[in-house]
Amino acid sequence: MPSSSSSSSHLVLVLWLSVIFPSFFFQTNARNCLSWGFGEKAPGGQRDLQISVSGDDSIAMEKTVCALYESSESAAGSCTEEEEEGECSLAAQKPIDVGLVVTADGNSYECFNGETSEPLSTVARVDLGCNTRWRFLTYDVWPIGSVIIAGSTAEGYNFGVCRCPVKDKNYEIGRLYLAGPKMGGCGCKQGSGKEEKVLIGEYEYLQADEGKGHLFQDVASNSNAEVAMSDKDLYPALQKLIADHLSEEDRSTLERITDTQVSVLEEDLMKQDPSFLRKIFSHERYIPHPTLNNKGLHLLRCLLAEKIADSRRRQRGYHKHPDYETFMRDGILAKNFSELSSEDIQGIMAMVSGFDINELPPIRWVDRPVKHLAGDAQYQMHVDTFHAAYKIWIYMNETTVDQGPLNFVRGSHRNTPGKLEWVMLSSQKTKLRGTS
């Protein structure tokens, strides 16, 4: 396959791929999936969050994740008696760190983070209604998906929950930094009394989603915020998106590939439960429904995401940007960093993402060494997800093919008929490399 990897010093590349700017984690959608509660037993609909650790005798055991506060007394005092009997959300005070529950003596428990401990106040509980999982992170990507906000450091930086590998599938608990100088790293105090070590790869982080995200509300900016849409409003909303954004050519292409009229697929979608339609609006990469995917559901989501993003860029005037045509054609831009001002970079970021300038994060470059991992799926040519997403970075030195730079097929970001045929086969779970 052709490659767009470039070899130039201090080269800025903006790619239609992967995750948008590092400071934009999908945090809001998972906020109800993790709570901090009191009591020895989790209430109905929840379970304690536990990880496997090695005991003093090297025998693996499950330990419960807990929270540390600036003042454990004020943490306990912020809850009512009724909440103490079940769950306390501690809305008035966020945890500043996470640890594991340990036995202080025969009758009491403490929360220990590998360095310090305090009397146990709250433990982590996950909602059984959420799709909660641990995701392994390689060195060449940032945490993506719906990252759960677990608390805020003493310096005011939000963090999630991560776990650092120790040995034999045992872990230490840590903080996934979502902002600040350690952003994107997992900080664990590995071993009793040791200082925090921040990993930038080879760790797992906790992510979840509630199925309430509305991708098409602002697909260009990858918004994953909840929207106030009733069940009955989902149906006309989907119909309007199809009517407004699918051209006759799009419909003809879908019908040729799937051998199904778009109107037939639309009728079948209108018969689905509201919970299923919410999945269509969400960031869920793939909806496993063989019948509807054979009729073109996955292709429909791909096309709608692309067409809505295109429309939003034009509405905001980004089609007038000097790099717009190149980026839309190739899916990648290569610019000389020494010739770009901060305003130039912001303009590029706005154009490729669809954000308004005032919505963009401050520009901060992070040195991120990449370590080879055997069996890393990132080495295979693949499609990250069904909608547009972006990456921006700098090659600090001359980069050659021998160094294994990123490979990208120019123009592969667009849903051409040929790509849609391949995506159709992928969505039917044929033996193809890459994922859709």
Side-chain angles (χ1 to χ4, degrees), residues 333-365:
L333 288 176
K335 310 287 288 187
N336 189 325
F337 181 66
S338 63
E339 298 176 356
L340 297 175
S341 65
S342 295
E343 290 75 18
D344 292 334
I345 297 176
Q346 282 189 319
I348 292 173
M349 292 167 67
M351 181 269 290
V352 301
S353 69
F355 276 111
D356 288 327
I357 291 291
N358 59 7
E359 296 176 312
L360 294 173
I363 298 174
R364 185 173 64 84
W365 302 101

Side-chain angles (χ1 to χ4, degrees), residues 390-409:
Y390 316 92
K391 175 182 290 185
I392 179 170
W393 75 99
I394 303 175
Y395 283 133
M396 296 301 295
N397 302 295
E398 293 291 340
T399 304
T400 66
V401 173
D402 293 337
Q403 293 171 302
L406 184 85
N407 284 262
F408 177 73
V409 180

